[in-house]
C-alpha cells in the first residue's frame, strides 16, 4: 500500500470520529497556574478493518511514547478522569461498561 493511499484512508477514518470530551481533567500535576486538558475523540472500528491497518508506533517528544491497542478492562490504571470519559463512550456505543456501578457491585470483595 502506498503512502498516499494510507494518508487518504487515515483522513477518511479520522473524519468519522465523535467528540466525547474536551476540557480540564483531574491530574496531580495541575496547579493554580497550569493544568492538563484533554480532547477525547471516539473512533469506532467494529469490524477491525479500519484502524487495525495503522500500526501504533508513534515518535513523539511528549509522554505518550508507549502507545498500543488495549481491551477496556475495569483493572486499567487510568489517569485523571479518563474512566469517566470511557464511561461516556460505552454509553454512547451501547457497549459493555466495566466501570459501571452495576458491574462493580458484582465484583467479589477481597479482604
Amino acid at each position: 500500500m502506498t503512502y498516499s493511499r494510507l494518508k487518504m484512508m487515515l483522513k477518511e477514518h479520522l473524519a468519522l470520529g465523535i467528540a466525547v470530551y474536551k476540557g480540564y481533567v483531574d491530574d496531580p500535576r495541575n496547579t493554580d497556574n497550569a493544568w492538563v486538558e484533554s480532547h477525547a475523540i471516539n473512533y469506532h472500528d467494529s469490524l477491525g478493518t479500519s484502524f487495525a491497518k495503522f500500526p501504533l508506533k508513534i515518535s513523539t517528544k511528549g509522554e505518550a511514547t508507549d502507545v498500543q491497542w488495549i481491551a477496556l478492562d475495569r483493572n486499567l490504571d487510568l489517569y485523571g478522569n479518563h474512566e469517566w470519559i470511557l464511561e461516556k463512550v460505552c454509553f454512547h456505543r451501547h457497549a459493555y461498561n466495566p466501570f459501571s456501578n452495576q458491574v462493580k457491585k458484582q465484583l467479589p470483595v477481597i479482604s
Side-chain angles (χ1 to χ4, degrees):
M1 189 172 295
T2 66
Y3 174 76
S4 59
R5 175 70 180 131
L6 280 173
K7 187 175 177 181
M8 184 180 74
M9 285 175 54
L10 185 59
K11 187 175 181 178
E12 290 171 1
H13 296 314
L14 292 179
L16 301 174
I18 297 171
V20 178
Y21 179 77
K22 183 177 182 180
Y24 171 87
V25 292
D26 292 330
D27 191 292
R29 299 169 293 180
N30 290 344
T31 69
D32 290 342
N33 300 316
W35 52 90
V36 176
E37 294 187 2
S38 287
H39 191 177
I41 302 173
N42 176 239
Y43 300 100
H44 191 68
D45 183 10
S46 60
L47 300 176
T49 58
S50 298
F51 288 100
K53 296 178 182 177
F54 302 103
L56 291 179
K57 294 182 180 178
I58 298 174
S59 175
T60 178
K61 293 181 181 177
E63 293 179 30
T65 56
D66 186 22
V67 181
Q68 59 184 321
W69 296 111
I70 58 171
L72 188 56
D73 183 289
R74 69 176 175 262
N75 297 316
L76 289 174
D77 186 22
L78 299 172
Y79 213 58
N81 60 347
H82 292 156
E83 181 178 313
W84 177 78
I85 293 169
L86 288 172
E87 282 188 281
K88 286 184 70 172
V89 172
C90 291
F91 177 81
H92 174 75
R93 294 288 180 189
H94 305 287
Y96 169 69
N97 180 358
F99 305 111
S100 73
N101 290 333
Q102 187 176 28
V103 172
K104 289 179 182 176
K105 289 178 185 175
Q106 296 173 359
L107 296 176
V109 176
I110 301 173
S111 51

